[in-house]
Amino acid sequence: MTAADSDRPEEQGYEKPIVTDRRRIDPETGKARRAVPDASEAAPSDVSGEAGQPTVEQVTTEGADELATAKAEALDLADQLARRNADVYNVQQEYNAFVRRSRTEAAAHRQAGVQDVAEALLGVLDEIELARQHGDLTGPFASIAEKLESTLAQRFEVVRYGAVGEEFDPAVHEALMHTTDTEATATTVTQVLQPGYRAGERVLRAARVAVSSPE
């Protein structure tokens, strides 16, 4: 190897410089050359900088799609929950209405049963009252009669009504006899022919009476 060869740049570890011909006219042919972009002037690559990786636009679009899907699912679940709550509310209202109706009907049936029993005992109560008026209600029978009347009054609100001097009320009285009185100011009961009975607010039998009214 000669000294000239050892002076070559590549022999000394240096790379041979690369010369780029930027002339637009080919000196040999005289024709215009096609522009070749410099490496430093090449179009910028995608933001990702690596082939096969999604771009920022792609990531943004996918994120927006996922968010829209999640919102749609949330709205659907909220709608389903609202419908289920409405169903539960309707069932509760129907149950409450059923309970109220059942209680009302039960009370009505109970009252009807009491009234049926009381009406069946009206004849017995009439005999007790007649015996009392004639002084025949004595001894053990008097104690039994009083207990019967007390039980009917306390537990079932069955009471006897009708007395001389009461103002006549066609809702609770039945007039069997009628006279006039020049001194009377209103139609009143002058005689109780048969007492009346009521159970609570319901009249089981109207009091049968004789009345007197103004002329």
Side-chain angles (χ1 to χ4, degrees):
M1 179 182 296
T2 63
D5 295 334
S6 63
D7 290 338
R8 295 177 181 175
E10 57 272 19
E11 295 294 336
Q12 296 180 3
Y14 297 103
E15 294 182 356
K16 183 177 180 179
I18 300 175
V19 179
T20 302
D21 188 357
R22 294 179 175 277
R23 289 177 294 182
R24 298 183 178 180
I25 304 300
D26 190 332
E28 296 182 358
T29 63
K31 297 180 179 180
R33 292 178 174 176
R34 186 174 59 181
V36 178
D38 185 71
S40 61
E41 298 176 355
S45 60
D46 294 337
V47 176
S48 62
E50 297 182 4
Q53 295 296 325
T55 64
V56 174
E57 291 79 3
Q58 293 174 336
V59 172
T60 302
T61 302
E62 292 176 357
D65 293 341
E66 292 178 357
L67 179 59
T69 301
K71 287 183 177 180
E73 292 178 353
L75 291 175
D76 181 63
L77 291 175
D79 181 69
Q80 293 182 24
L81 179 60
R83 292 177 182 274
R84 297 298 183 274
N85 289 339
D87 291 340
V88 172
Y89 176 79
N90 290 331
V91 170
Q92 290 177 341
Q93 294 303 308
E94 291 177 0
Y95 173 75
N96 292 336
F98 169 76
V99 171
R100 290 192 298 268
R101 186 169 59 253
S102 298
R103 290 176 178 174
T104 302
E105 291 177 353
H109 290 318
R110 178 177 179 275
Q111 187 65 21
V114 169
Q115 293 169 357
D116 290 342
V117 173
E119 288 176 355
L121 293 174
L122 292 183
V124 176
L125 296 176
D126 286 340
E127 294 295 334
I128 292 174
E129 180 61 17
L130 287 174
R132 182 181 288 114
Q133 292 177 2
H134 290 85
D136 297 332
L137 194 63
T138 59
F141 178 68
S143 177
I144 295 173
E146 291 177 359
K147 182 175 293 186
L148 174 62
E149 292 175 330
S150 175
T151 300
L152 290 174
Q154 293 178 3
R155 297 192 57 181
F156 307 111
E157 299 181 336
V158 176
V159 294
R160 181 188 300 107
Y161 72 90
V164 175
E166 290 180 346
E167 185 173 350
F168 178 77
D169 182 355
V172 296
H173 296 121
E174 180 182 356
L176 300 182
M177 299 175 62
H178 175 259
T179 60
T180 58
D181 186 353
T182 57
E183 297 181 357
T185 58
T187 303
T188 58
V189 175
T190 58
Q191 183 181 359
V192 178
L193 304 176
Q194 191 175 48
Y197 291 92
R198 63 163 59 94
E201 298 297 327
R202 180 178 177 182
V203 175
L204 299 178
R205 187 184 70 191
R208 296 169 179 174
V209 297
V211 297
S212 177
S213 62
E215 291 184 350

